[in-house]
Amino acid sequence: MTKPKASLKSSLRKTVIGAYRARGKGKSNLWLVTSIKTNHDWILPSDRQLVHWIYYLETNQDVIDFDLAPEPILSHDDNEVRSTELDAIVNLKNKHQEWHEVKAGKGKDDATNRSQFLAQAAASSKNQASYLRFDDDDLKSKVKVSMRWLKPISFASAIKGQEHLQCRTALVMHLKNLKSGNIRQILDLMTEYDLNVVIGLISRLAIEGIINLDLNKCTFGLLSPWKYHG
């Protein structure tokens, strides 16, 4: 008897469980996220990776897309050939590429890490990319604003794959006319549409860089300020 095909939900569950077990003895959180920017679901193996993804990738308006599961990169130092699994390969709007690694602790300048850093920097330079390493010093100050972004990212994820062209056209027209304001002002102008969809589209436009959504001083809500970029 042929076995029934696994459902999408079942396959996804197995993927998550596989990723969880692959961490060995690691006890950090595992995050399954939906990226609007890449139209892809990603599994992030730690809280550090989550903050890095939100702040430096998904909501960074200089970034157009990224790969969070790139193939291992070979590099060389004075003593040996190294193989590094980068945490992200990032493509910027200026057509430049960055290679990202996320490290625990505050060891950027640690002598034990310097050999690998130099090898990876040389490999990235050979590929005309910039090599960036993010540790706790980089990520700690970004935690609060990153957590504030989880709400709009969730609204945008809820309408993943849905265009809502008529609503989006009306929304962009109001944003362009107003140039700046807060979320409440936009919702008051869009009452003929499902407001959850409108909020999802506002969040999507912020991720796309059409508007700048400022969450540095307040959580995402009716009074959140925005500016139109076009």
Side-chain angles (χ1 to χ4, degrees):
M1 178 182 293
T2 58
K3 294 182 179 180
K5 291 184 178 180
S7 66
L8 179 61
K9 183 184 293 186
S10 175
S11 298
L12 184 59
R13 186 182 298 114
K14 288 181 180 179
T15 300
V16 174
I17 292 174
Y20 181 83
R21 291 173 175 168
R23 299 178 307 163
K25 296 182 180 180
K27 294 182 180 180
S28 57
N29 289 323
L30 194 69
W31 296 88
L32 174 62
V33 299
T34 295
S35 167
I36 302 303
K37 187 164 285 186
T38 62
N39 192 32
H40 198 286
D41 294 332
W42 301 100
I43 296 176
L44 307 179
S46 69
D47 294 345
R48 291 181 179 87
Q49 299 277 1
L50 177 69
V51 173
H52 169 260
W53 168 68
I54 293 173
Y55 189 88
Y56 290 100
L57 303 179
E58 188 74 359
T59 67
N60 183 347
Q61 296 189 350
D62 292 328
V63 173
I64 55 171
D65 65 23
F66 49 83
D67 183 0
L68 296 183
E71 294 295 323
I73 300 294
L74 291 178
S75 60
H76 303 261
D77 62 17
D78 293 336
N79 301 313
E80 60 183 335
V81 177
R82 297 177 179 270
S83 178
T84 297
E85 293 186 11
L86 297 170
D87 292 307
I89 291 181
V90 184
N91 295 310
L92 305 179
K93 286 183 178 178
N94 63 8
K95 298 184 180 181
H96 189 65
Q97 188 175 89
E98 294 178 348
W99 292 2
H100 289 195
E101 278 197 280
V102 180
K103 295 290 187 181
K106 303 178 180 181
K108 269 187 185 175
D109 299 321
D110 192 317
T112 60
N113 292 329
R114 184 160 180 77
S115 177
Q116 184 190 36
F117 176 83
L118 292 175
Q120 293 303 334
S124 62
S125 178
K126 184 178 180 180
N127 286 270
Q128 298 184 326
S130 298
Y131 176 59
L132 303 179
R133 182 177 292 188
F134 301 85
D135 64 12
D136 290 350
D137 283 334
D138 302 301
L139 300 171
K140 187 175 181 180
S141 62
K142 309 300 188 295
V143 170
K144 183 177 290 186
V145 69
S146 295
M147 294 304 98
R148 289 171 178 169
W149 268 102
L150 283 177
K151 191 173 181 179
I153 287 173
S154 297
F155 273 104
S157 299
I159 58 169
K160 179 185 177 183
Q162 304 172 27
E163 294 187 8
H164 297 285
L165 288 178
Q166 184 176 355
C167 183
R168 180 184 171 111
T169 300
L171 174 60
V172 171
M173 180 187 69
H174 288 308
L175 293 169
K176 188 174 182 180
N177 288 338
L178 289 175
K179 294 185 174 56
S180 64
N182 60 44
I183 302 296
R184 173 180 286 165
Q185 290 171 313
I186 293 298
L187 296 183
D188 288 344
L189 295 171
M190 299 286 293
T191 54
E192 69 269 35
Y193 299 99
D194 184 328
L195 294 186
N196 287 321
V197 170
V198 176
I199 295 173
L201 288 173
I202 291 172
S203 303
R204 182 186 292 175
L205 292 173
I207 292 170
E208 292 174 358
I210 304 299
I211 62 172
N212 177 51
L213 186 61
D214 187 358
L215 299 181
N216 287 300
K217 296 181 180 179
C218 63
T219 58
F220 182 71
L222 294 177
L223 299 181
S224 297
W226 59 268
K227 290 183 179 179
Y228 178 75
H229 281 180

